[in-house]
Amino acid sequence: MKERPRLLLGEDLPSEPLQTRSSEKRNRLKAAGVALFAERGFEGTSVKAIAGRAQLAVGGFYQHFRSKQQLLLVLMDELLEGLTTIDLQPGAMKDPRAGLRELLSRAFSNDLSYLGAYRAWQEAVLSDADLARKQQEIHSWTTARVTMLFQLLRQLPGARQGVDTSALAQVMDTFFWSLLAKAGRISKIQLNQQLDAATHLIYHALFTDLPKRRGTSKEH
């Protein structure tokens, strides 16, 4: 499996603080960044606003991040790191459909924590070639992970043969990112409905329906 993109590679990022108080300040800045990026977008958010929301002076911001773009990179890097912790091994799934739905829920639970950061990221990549290149690396990596999941699912009983898992993964990965992009504008019920629909589509693309048992009702 290809290694996830290292968004902070080459960044002159200040070292993470060792003291609890400094760590708390850094975490407040990250939380403030996520919130303000969600409210105002990338261009509409300033370093001063982030520091203010975190109840710190502007100088306190620069003790932890060189710029708001670097803060955004940190947040997106954490989002990707969270995705790497999701176990894609479906071998223990007694019910592939239920297992797939649970896996999607875990993935989106991680992503939704960074919803504001992803909104800002979408905006920032439009005007920055380096970020756009990183965006391509992210999508390539996530598509590869989805492809691997589908290939593993095809090893389970009842799986269809001859499914183009790479093409299916590209379509579904695009769908998942687009769903994340609009997650802040739809209700939790609507989000769950979208995840249910995705689960249904993937399951029926990869698995055949088990033959139904004959009914025992009497003929009339």
Side-chain angles (χ1 to χ4, degrees):
M1 185 64 195
K2 65 188 298 185
E3 185 179 6
R4 77 166 177 85
R6 300 294 174 179
L7 302 185
L8 301 178
L9 191 64
E11 285 289 318
D12 181 24
L13 183 68
S15 301
E16 290 196 30
L18 299 178
Q19 296 182 345
T20 301
R21 185 177 179 184
S22 294
S23 294
E24 290 175 348
K25 290 180 180 179
R26 189 174 190 270
N27 289 335
R28 295 210 310 266
L29 287 167
K30 290 192 295 183
V34 170
L36 286 170
F37 286 149
E39 296 170 10
R40 307 179 185 180
F42 184 71
E43 292 299 329
T45 299
S46 66
V47 168
K48 181 178 180 180
I50 295 171
R53 179 68 65 93
Q55 298 182 325
L56 295 172
V58 171
F61 176 94
Y62 289 111
Q63 289 178 358
H64 299 279
F65 307 103
R66 305 297 184 195
S67 64
K68 68 175 181 179
Q69 178 170 307
Q70 191 174 75
L71 169 59
L72 179 59
L73 284 168
V74 167
L75 293 171
M76 286 297 296
D77 195 67
E78 288 183 358
L79 185 157
L80 298 186
E81 181 60 27
L83 291 177
T84 65
T85 65
I86 298 173
D87 184 10
L88 298 182
Q89 299 293 331
M93 289 185 184
K94 295 181 180 180
D95 181 344
R97 187 199 297 263
L100 180 60
R101 180 62 174 83
E102 181 183 354
L103 191 152
L104 293 181
S105 294
R106 291 203 306 270
F108 264 82
S109 177
N110 171 80
D111 292 349
L112 290 174
S113 300
Y114 296 91
L115 189 58
Y118 187 61
R119 176 194 171 183
W121 178 262
Q122 285 186 296
E123 180 185 340
V125 298
L126 295 176
S127 58
D128 190 301
D130 184 56
L131 294 186
R133 177 184 58 78
K134 292 179 186 295
Q135 171 84 327
Q136 292 179 343
E137 293 175 0
I138 290 172
H139 282 207
S140 176
W141 175 72
T142 54
T143 297
R145 282 177 63 80
V146 176
T147 300
M148 184 182 75
L149 170 64
F150 290 172
Q151 290 172 345
L152 291 171
L153 285 170
R154 283 188 59 204
Q155 298 174 20
L156 298 178
R160 297 180 187 274
Q161 300 303 311
V163 178
D164 188 342
T165 52
S166 295
L168 180 62
Q170 288 180 356
V171 171
M172 296 312 303
D173 188 58
T174 299
F175 168 78
F176 294 143
W177 282 114
S178 65
L179 181 57
L180 178 61
K182 67 179 183 180
R185 304 190 301 273
I186 63 177
S187 67
K188 185 175 181 180
I189 292 176
Q190 291 173 314
L191 176 61
N192 283 325
Q193 289 174 339
Q194 292 284 320
L195 293 179
D196 288 340
T199 301
H200 180 83
L201 190 156
I202 295 169
Y203 179 81
H204 285 285
L206 295 177
F207 292 91
T208 58
D209 288 325
L210 295 176
K212 296 181 179 179
R213 295 181 179 179
R214 291 184 177 181
T216 57
S217 60
K218 294 181 181 180
E219 293 184 3
H220 295 284

